[in-house]
């Protein structure tokens, strides 16, 4: 039984999500290979080779793979698919873009966002916004899986796998790269941050959201927001945490003025420590919080910053 993990990277650095996907692969068991598809990405492949449990890294380099176009990456995965029983992607925007294309072409059912492995063909995944867990079993010869990275602790970089160059598949010719606009921030990336400070509708306005900046600075945190805050225009869309936003599981999650709708909880309840500040003592967020403070956030947050 061989497993192919599709690495996420920018041709320079290996994304942290790949560490978690490899962790899921080790739970399945078998020979684990990692595919690095890109251009001038040897440094990424060398990094992937250090992941514990990885026996081999397949490096496919071509100008058609340089920008991570889903159609072209899918062609590369399909070229290698016959040799593998499992093909694993991170359940990120990139993984969710490629995996369905691969599953459709292989004529198999995709298994989405697994959070636990029972056996090589049986997995657990959350349904109904995390209110229930479904156990699913696949009889497909090739199992195409996306992994909810928060469900698996990242593997250590203690391995010494080999790096092998493989032939790059021809581009699909269905799309071309035009441009990319990347949001730049001095703060950690939200999806992989160890500390997250999030604001909700209780912030009241985009201007008021700025009172979270000093707190995030003190904690070295990424900034997040509930969907209600994003929909109200208080925060940008890429800050959204929840079922329809980013799934996070930091060491510390600080929820400010967030009531705790089930859709938001689905995106952060796996955080190691959850701190909530809300003036409503009955807010659902207190049901999952390790530490809760019933207080006016406009008074509590500045006091917390001063104390820190």
């Amino acid at each position: 039984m061989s497993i192919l993990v599709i690495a996420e990277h920018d041709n320079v650095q290996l994304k942290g999500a790949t560490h978690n996907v490899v962790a899921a692969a080790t739970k399945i068991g078998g020979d684990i290979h990692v595919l690095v598809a890109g251009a001038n990405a040897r440094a990424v492949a060398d990094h992937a080779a250090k992941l514990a449990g990885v026996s081999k890294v397949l490096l496919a380099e071509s100008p058609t793979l340089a920008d991570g176009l889903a159609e072209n990456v899918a062609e590369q995965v399909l070229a290698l698919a016959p040799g593998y029983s499992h093909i694993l992607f991170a359940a990120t925007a990139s993984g969710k873009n490629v995996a369905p294309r691969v599953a459709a072409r292989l004529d198999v059912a995709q298994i989405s966002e697994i959070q636990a492995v029972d056996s090589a063909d049986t997995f657990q995944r959350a349904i109904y916004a995390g209110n229930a867990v479904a156990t699913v079993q696949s009889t497909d010869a090739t199992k195409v899986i996306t992994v909810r990275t928060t469900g698996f602790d990242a593997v250590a970089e203690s391995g010494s796998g080999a790096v092998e160059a493989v032939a790059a598949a021809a581009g699909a010719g269905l799309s071309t790269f035009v441009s990319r606009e990347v949001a730049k921030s001095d703060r950690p990336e939200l999806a992989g941050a160890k500390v997250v400070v999030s604001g909700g509708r209780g912030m009241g306005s985009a201007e008021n959201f700025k009172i979270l900046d000093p707190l995030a600075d003190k904690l070295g945190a990424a900034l997040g927001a509930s969907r209600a805050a994003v929909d109200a225009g208080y925060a940008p869309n890429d800050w959204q945490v929840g079922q329809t936003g980013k799934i996070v599981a930091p060491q510390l999650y600080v929820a400010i003025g967030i009531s705790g709708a089930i859709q938001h909880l689905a995106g952060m309840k796996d955080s190691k420590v959850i701190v909530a500040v809300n003036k409503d003592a009955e807010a659902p967020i207190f049901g999952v919080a390790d530490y809760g403070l019933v207080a006016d956030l406009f008074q509590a947050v500045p006091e917390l910053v001063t104390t820190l």
Side-chain angles (χ1 to χ4, degrees), residues 24 31-32 84 90 127 182:
D31 197 24
I32 301 172
Y84 295 94
I127 58 174
V182 180

Side-chain angles (χ1 to χ4, degrees), residues 8 15 17 90-94 96 113 129 147-151 181-185 187-193 195-199 222-228 230 235-250 253 258 261-271:
E8 288 206 12
K15 299 291 180 68
T92 58
S94 176
K96 291 176 181 178
E113 299 205 35
V147 176
R148 179 171 286 195
T149 55
T150 58
E181 293 184 17
V182 180
K184 294 182 179 179
S185 173
R187 300 193 187 281
E189 182 185 7
L190 177 57
V195 182
V196 174
V197 174
S198 283
L223 282 171
S226 67
R227 178 170 180 170
V230 171
N237 187 67
D238 59 345
W239 287 11
Q240 185 175 322
V241 173
Q243 185 180 16
T244 54
K246 291 184 171 68
I247 308 295
V248 300
Y253 187 88
I258 295 175
I262 187 63
Q263 291 85 356
H264 185 76
L265 300 184
M268 46 66 72
K269 65 182 181 181
D270 290 331
S271 303

Side-chain angles (χ1 to χ4, degrees), residues 39-55:
N40 301 315
R42 177 70 194 208
V44 177
D46 289 340
H47 188 176
K50 296 178 181 178
L51 300 184
V54 173
S55 62

Side-chain angles (χ1 to χ4, degrees), residues 79-94:
L80 299 169
Y84 295 94
S85 58
H86 298 71
I87 302 175
L88 272 58
F89 300 79
T92 58
S94 176

